[in-house]
């Protein structure tokens, strides 16, 4: 109950046909604690639509690219008990404060949109230590304060209920001054010689990281009540020189609206 419960309300304001604003308040488990709750603004932005095919937004926005980017905290809108961590938790922060520009092309078969965005936000990276951290702090969960700076592009195609998405973003994570500590990393300078490094500035100092992420997703109806959905995310850390791939796949059957059956495998490599 504590980890999955979210209480929220959203307010959409239309000042004129071109200008509007959206506010979404949320009362949910805190992002920097395993036991506390916190009140935050999940959405807070103004929008300007000078024409039907252009939209500009500024404020607190969600990183686009995921199939459920806009509704990831509204559990009744998707079939999962929880959105797959193998894909949705590969980014330490999922929203940002900045701006975005969206261009939409209406075609005979559907709508194609391209969104460019940029901004930054503060967040936390959760680490859990089974034993004492550095021999000083007790075992348990620790939250590393981060500042994320992000910019990227997201391409989406929608045709009735079918959605296809392709996104790419570049991000940099920087520890805020209150988080000046280094995650212990295993060093192997020679065969048979290993040790854990806790010295700032070492080859695996995690105070700064530069990430690149590619995101692919689709939710498509294949007829006779069946739908297929899947997402693939590839994240590359340019400093630690590591790559992580997350994938999930969903097969869903809706029988005349009365019976719904889902099957979902997922994997992280």
């Amino acid at each position: 109950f504590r980890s999955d419960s979210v209480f929220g309300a959203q307010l959409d304001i239309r000042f004129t046909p071109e200008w509007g604003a959206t506010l979404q308040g949320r009362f949910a488990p805190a992002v920097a604690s395993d036991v506390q709750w916190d009140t935050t603004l999940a959405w807070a932005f103004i929008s300007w639509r000078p024409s039907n095919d252009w939209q500009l937004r500024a404020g607190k926005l969600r990183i686009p690219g995921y199939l459920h980017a806009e509704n990831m905290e509204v559990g009744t809108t998707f079939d999962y008990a929880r959105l797959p961590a193998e894909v949705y938790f590969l980014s330490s922060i999922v929203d940002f404060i900045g701006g975005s520009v969206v261009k939409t092309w209406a075609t005979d078969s559907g709508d194609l949109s391209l969104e460019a965005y940029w901004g930054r936000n503060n967040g936390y990276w959760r680490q859990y230590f089974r034993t004492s951290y550095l021999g000083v702090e007790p075992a348990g969960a620790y939250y590393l304060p981060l500042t994320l700076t992000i910019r990227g592009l997201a391409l989406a195609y929608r045709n009735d209920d079918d959605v296809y998405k392709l996104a790419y973003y570049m991000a940099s994570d920087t520890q805020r001054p209150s988080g000046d500590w280094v995650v212990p990393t295993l060093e192997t300078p020679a065969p048979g010689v290993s040790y854990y490094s806790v010295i700032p500035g070492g080859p695996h100092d995690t105070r700064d990281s530069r990430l690149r992420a590619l995101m692919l997703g689709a939710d498509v109806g294949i007829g006779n009540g069946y739908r297929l959905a899947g997402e693939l995310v590839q994240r590359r850390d340019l400093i630690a020189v590591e790559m992580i791939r997350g994938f999930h796949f969903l097969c869903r059957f809706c029988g005349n609206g009365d019976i719904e059956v889902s099957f979902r495998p997922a994997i992280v490599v």
Side-chain angles (χ1 to χ4, degrees):
F1 174 83
R2 176 180 292 171
S3 62
D4 293 329
S5 299
V6 178
F7 302 92
Q10 179 169 316
L11 175 65
D12 291 308
I13 306 172
R14 183 64 58 188
F15 304 110
T16 69
E18 296 82 18
W19 287 92
T22 297
L23 295 174
Q24 185 183 101
R26 180 186 63 184
F27 181 61
V31 297
S33 172
D34 282 0
V35 296
Q36 297 179 355
W37 287 57
D38 194 12
T39 302
T40 59
L41 282 176
W43 296 82
F45 63 85
I46 59 173
S47 62
W48 177 47
R49 187 181 290 275
S51 63
N52 289 333
D53 52 355
W54 284 98
Q55 184 184 38
L56 287 77
R57 298 185 298 171
K60 189 171 186 181
L61 305 167
R62 182 64 48 82
I63 296 174
Y66 292 121
L67 288 177
H68 298 286
E70 297 181 354
N71 59 314
M72 61 173 55
E73 293 172 329
V74 187
T76 57
T77 61
F78 46 78
D79 299 288
Y80 316 96
R82 299 184 182 92
L83 288 172
E86 298 85 358
V87 169
Y88 284 80
F89 290 173
L90 289 186
S91 176
S92 57
I93 301 173
V94 296
D95 45 32
F96 64 95
I97 299 174
S100 77
V101 179
V102 183
K103 167 65 175 176
T104 302
W105 294 270
T107 68
D108 294 336
S109 58
D111 292 333
L112 180 68
S113 64
L114 177 65
E115 179 174 1
Y117 58 94
W118 61 95
R120 64 173 54 192
N121 198 8
N122 293 331
Y124 294 87
W125 177 26
R126 184 182 186 273
Q127 293 284 297
Y128 187 86
F129 293 93
R130 292 181 295 174
T131 59
S132 174
Y133 171 64
L134 302 184
V136 178
E137 300 292 341
Y142 291 85
Y143 291 84
L144 178 64
L146 299 173
T147 295
L148 176 77
T149 303
I150 188 169
R151 60 188 184 277
L153 294 171
L155 184 67
Y157 176 75
R158 294 175 172 84
N159 178 17
D160 295 329
D161 294 331
D162 296 344
V163 180
Y164 304 84
K165 286 192 173 185
L166 168 65
Y168 177 80
Y169 71 77
M170 299 176 288
S172 60
D173 282 334
T174 303
Q175 286 190 27
R176 300 203 298 276
S178 59
D180 192 15
W181 57 280
V182 178
V183 177
T185 55
L186 182 64
E187 306 290 346
T188 307
V193 179
S194 299
Y195 65 93
Y196 281 95
S197 173
V198 294
I199 302 175
H204 296 290
D205 190 336
T206 60
R207 288 179 295 176
D208 297 283
S209 63
R210 294 194 300 271
L211 307 175
R212 302 290 184 268
L214 178 66
M215 310 162 75
L216 300 171
D219 187 345
V220 183
I222 58 176
N224 297 321
Y226 288 93
R227 296 193 65 84
L228 296 178
E231 292 180 274
L232 171 66
V233 176
Q234 176 177 286
R235 189 191 73 184
R236 182 177 181 86
D237 191 320
L238 301 183
I239 294 181
V241 193
E242 66 176 5
M243 182 180 296
I244 301 176
R245 294 183 180 93
F247 169 78
H248 80 92
F249 171 78
L250 173 71
C251 179
R252 184 171 74 248
F253 171 72
C254 300
N256 298 322
D258 299 324
I259 301 175
E260 183 168 314
V261 180
S262 301
F263 171 69
R264 181 187 70 86
I267 189 171
V268 172
V269 179

